[in-house]
Amino acid sequence: MTHRFASHCCEALFSNAAPVVTNELSIRPKKSAKSEDADADSEAEPAMEKCFLDTMAEIEGSIGFLMTDRFASHVLRVLLVVFSGESLDSSANKQLMQSKNKEGIKVEGKEKVETQDENRKVPESFSKALEKLLSDSIAGLDTEKLRALATSPNGNPTLQLLLRIELSHFGKQRAKDESSVIRTLLPD
């Protein structure tokens, strides 16, 4: 994610794989309450869902660094949007995911999979991962450091996305939580 060219490949991979998670949800077999308990241990997570969760586990502990890295910050923003279930093609998300100095590198074979501005359906595990991603992103940052992130050319768009996702997905009640992004940024 931190390599100049590999980061573009990661962005393309995550962007193209996100709709697959939604498709896996729609083809997941419906179970009755009785059989759900019996099969809970035997059924594994769908393949793409597990890949995204494994990616999240892989970057755990490095999120603070990735937020300000010149190349990885873009990939992290794509992951945030994927976990939130928001559209990757919405103009607001496209603007936050790409820098003003985007190199214009094209990944051959990349096809546009998602064309709607609608939110995608995501598994419950993504909501948990998103919540962990939000809390990990500000772990160890006090108000002063988080405000300094707002002036960073790479950290600012990530902070904007974190705030928007936190407020839109977890509501204003989350602002009362001591470990929330908005509460850390504006403690009063």
Side-chain angles (χ1 to χ4, degrees):
M1 289 173 60
T2 59
H3 187 271
R4 179 179 176 189
F5 301 114
S7 64
H8 296 284
C9 294
C10 291
E11 277 185 64
L13 174 68
F14 296 149
S15 297
N16 287 319
V20 176
V21 174
T22 303
N23 291 342
E24 286 178 345
L25 279 176
S26 65
I27 61 172
R28 191 179 287 181
K30 305 278 186 218
K31 295 195 234 175
S32 66
K34 213 185 281 184
S35 66
E36 188 173 326
D37 293 335
D39 294 336
D41 295 329
S42 63
E43 185 178 317
E45 297 167 329
M48 199 56 68
E49 177 182 352
K50 182 172 178 359
C51 288
F52 273 107
L53 295 174
D54 288 348
T55 300
M56 176 67 187
E58 185 76 27
I59 65 172
E60 193 173 332
S62 303
I63 295 172
F65 166 74
L66 297 175
M67 286 174 61
T68 57
D69 183 77
R70 181 176 176 190
F71 304 112
S73 61
H74 305 281
V75 182
L76 182 62
R77 292 193 291 270
V78 170
L79 276 177
L80 280 165
V81 172
V82 168
F83 281 121
S84 72
E86 293 181 5
S87 171
L88 294 162
D89 287 336
S90 75
S91 58
N93 285 337
K94 276 188 172 182
Q95 187 177 1
L96 282 177
M97 286 190 291
Q98 297 180 351
S99 73
K100 292 177 185 171
N101 300 329
K102 184 81 172 166
E103 292 180 303
I105 295 173
K106 303 284 186 207
V107 178
E108 291 298 320
K110 179 184 176 202
E111 296 177 15
K112 196 170 198 149
V113 177
E114 186 179 316
T115 59
Q116 306 172 31
D117 277 350
E118 298 176 5
N119 288 347
R120 291 171 292 101
K121 187 176 179 184
V122 292
E124 181 64 33
S125 61
F126 276 27
S127 295
K128 292 175 186 173
L130 180 63
E131 196 160 351
K132 180 152 181 49
L133 194 54
L134 287 170
S135 62
D136 286 357
S137 64
I138 62 161
L141 296 179
D142 59 9
T143 301
E144 188 176 312
K145 289 179 183 174
L146 196 57
R147 287 180 180 170
L149 189 63
T151 63
S152 164
N154 298 318
N156 179 288
T158 308
L159 181 59
Q160 289 179 50
L161 187 59
L162 287 171
L163 287 166
R164 193 184 80 224
I165 288 173
E166 182 178 72
L167 293 174
S168 65
H169 289 274
F170 300 106
K172 293 179 182 178
Q173 290 294 74
R174 172 105 177 168
K176 294 178 182 176
D177 184 9
E178 293 289 327
S179 64
S180 71
V181 178
I182 189 81
R183 181 74 182 261
T184 305
L185 190 62
L186 305 168
D188 297 333

